[in-house]
């Protein structure tokens, strides 16, 4: 349990820090403790763990347990994304897509979201499908949009499911 993870974290395991942060962030049968979750995520960042960077970025984006700071969120998402973390890639892409904490740039949004989708990240597959359907950041391609949305839907992603419903509703 926690004691073994804490020991591993204290000996330099970034994965153990991520697991501890996750246990405090989404506990089973215990009280949620955001401050402890952030403590372990921060420790994981110091050890170079990309998942901890992404999770902490989200805390800054949401203002959960820390003051909301989109610029800091983007920095953390970028670190995670450049380290290959699919959620970091997706979240950075969405920051570019919305212009949150950075300048809106659909081409960069597409590039980062595609990297996450290429790793099979369901939320990225759904968003990328939507981008192909609307021609946002990429040339419109309904066939590609459908394929990506279907992949996302099969993984239970609500955006992918909604996109597929749009295809049927409009007879595309």
């Amino acid at each position: 349990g926690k004691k073994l993870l804490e020991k591993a974290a204290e000996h330099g395991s970034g994965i153990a820090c991520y697991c501890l942060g996750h246990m405090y962030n989404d506990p089973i049968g215990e009280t949620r403790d955001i401050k402890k979750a952030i403590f372990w995520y921060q420790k994981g960042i110091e050890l170079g763990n990309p998942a901890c960077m992404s999770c902490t970025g989200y805390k800054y984006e949401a203002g959960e347990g820390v003051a909301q700071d989109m610029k800091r969120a983007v920095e953390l998402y970028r670190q995670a994304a450049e380290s290959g973390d699919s959620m970091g890639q997706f979240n950075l892409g969405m920051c570019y897509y919305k212009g949150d904490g950075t300048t809106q740039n659909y081409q960069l949004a597409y590039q980062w979201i595609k990297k996450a989708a290429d790793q099979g990240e369901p939320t990225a597959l759904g968003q990328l499908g939507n981008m192909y359907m609307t021609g946002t950041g990429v040339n419109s391609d309904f066939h590609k949009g459908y394929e990506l949305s279907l992949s996302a839907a099969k993984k239970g992603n609500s955006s992918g499911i909604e996109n597929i419903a749009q295809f049927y509703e409009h007879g595309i």
Side-chain angles (χ1 to χ4, degrees), residues 37-87:
I38 291 170
F39 170 82
W40 287 111
Y41 289 150
Q42 292 283 7
K43 203 161 184 52
I45 290 171
E46 292 167 18
L47 295 168
N49 183 276
C52 288
M53 295 168 194
S54 191
C55 290
T56 306
Y58 179 76
K59 297 297 179 205
Y60 278 101
E61 181 177 351
E64 191 175 275
V66 293
Q68 187 176 31
D69 184 341
M70 281 306 300
K71 293 210 182 299
R72 179 73 176 130
V74 169
E75 288 171 24
L76 288 163
Y77 290 153
R78 183 177 315 285
Q79 288 175 359
E82 289 173 352
S83 296
D85 181 70
S86 63
M87 278 311 295

